Every structure is written in C-alpha cells, then in structure tokens.
C-alpha cells in the first residue's frame, strides 16, 4: 500500500492516530483505575508516608501524580516532534514521499528518528 501510493500520507496519519490512541488509553486507563482505587480504598499509613505534603492538604486519599519536571519533558518532546515533522517535510521535498525512497534515505531517516527518541529519553531521564 504505501509503496504504491504517490505519498505516504495515509500511512503517516494511521501511525500518528494509533500512537495517540495508545497514549490516551495507555495513560488514561491506569490513571482512572488508580484514581478509583484510592477514592474507594481511602487513606492509609502507606499513602500518608508516600505523599506527606498532599496528606496535609486534603482530608481523603487521592491518586497523586508528581509533576516534577513535566514541563521540561513536554517542552523537549515538542522540540523533537517539530524536528521529526521537519524531517518528514524535507523527505517529501527531496525524496518525494515520507516513506520509501532509496535504501540510503530510508536508513538515514530511521537512524535520525532512533537517535531523536534515544536523545529525548536520555535528556528527560537525567
């Protein structure tokens, strides 16, 4: 299918959409389950020991997600996403499509994407 298409727009949209759904379900479902668990399980000594600051502010228990460096992670992720979209744009301009092309172009793009992902993980994990 993508090999025969003049451009790989449908494939890129499919990948992006399915990854979005995976993230929404992958984060949303466990967070919802955890929120319901703590809502109905209630406060205990373990929860109070884990979240003393929150325990002093609220009367019951809640699912706590500490943001710490969330802003930095989102900012750097947006930069990497912009770089990836720019790479896809230039591939379309120079190679003629987002996917496919010569073996060298495919390998260079794959290596760039892997390094961008590894670099992002390394930066936000320090």
């Amino acid at each position: 299918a993508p090999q025969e298409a003049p451009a790989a727009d449908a494939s890129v949209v499919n990948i992006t959409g399915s990854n979005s759904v995976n993230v929404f379900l992958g984060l949303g479902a466990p967070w919802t389950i955890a929120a319901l668990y703590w809502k109905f399980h209630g406060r205990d000594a373990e929860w109070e020991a884990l979240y003393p600051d929150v325990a002093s502010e609220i009367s019951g228990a809640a699912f706590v997600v500490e943001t710490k460096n969330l802003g930095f992670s989102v900012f750097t992720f947006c930069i990497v996403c912009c770089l990836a979209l720019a790479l896809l744009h230039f591939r379309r301009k120079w190679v003629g499509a987002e996917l496919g092309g010569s073996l060298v172009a495919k390998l260079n793009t794959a290596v760039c994407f892997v390094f961008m992902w590894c670099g992002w993980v390394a930066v936000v994990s320090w």
Side-chain angles (χ1 to χ4, degrees), residues 12-99:
V12 172
V13 169
N14 183 25
I15 292 167
T16 305
S18 65
N19 284 341
S20 298
V21 170
N22 291 342
V23 168
F24 297 148
L25 289 177
L27 291 176
W31 285 15
T32 301
I33 292 167
L36 291 172
Y37 172 82
W38 285 112
K39 175 72 175 169
F40 294 111
H41 182 263
R43 183 179 224 153
D44 61 7
E46 177 188 6
W47 185 88
E48 289 178 354
L50 284 172
Y51 311 109
D53 296 337
V54 178
S56 65
E57 295 177 12
I58 64 172
S59 59
F63 177 54
V64 178
V65 178
E66 297 176 322
T67 57
K68 294 184 182 176
N69 295 326
L70 182 63
F72 176 73
S73 296
V74 171
F75 176 72
T76 54
F77 183 76
C78 289
I79 290 172
V80 171
C81 286
C82 289
L83 291 172
L85 290 173
L87 180 59
L88 289 176
H89 171 74
F90 290 122
R91 274 189 56 87
R92 171 173 276 205
K93 192 174 190 173
W94 295 329
V95 178
E98 287 83 3
L99 300 176

Side-chain angles (χ1 to χ4, degrees), residues 85-122:
L85 290 173
L87 180 59
L88 289 176
H89 171 74
F90 290 122
R91 274 189 56 87
R92 171 173 276 205
K93 192 174 190 173
W94 295 329
V95 178
E98 287 83 3
L99 300 176
S102 69
L103 180 62
V104 173
K106 289 189 282 191
L107 289 176
N108 285 338
T109 303
V111 167
C112 283
F113 283 147
V114 168
F115 276 121
M116 281 191 276
W117 179 77
C118 290
W120 179 78
V121 169

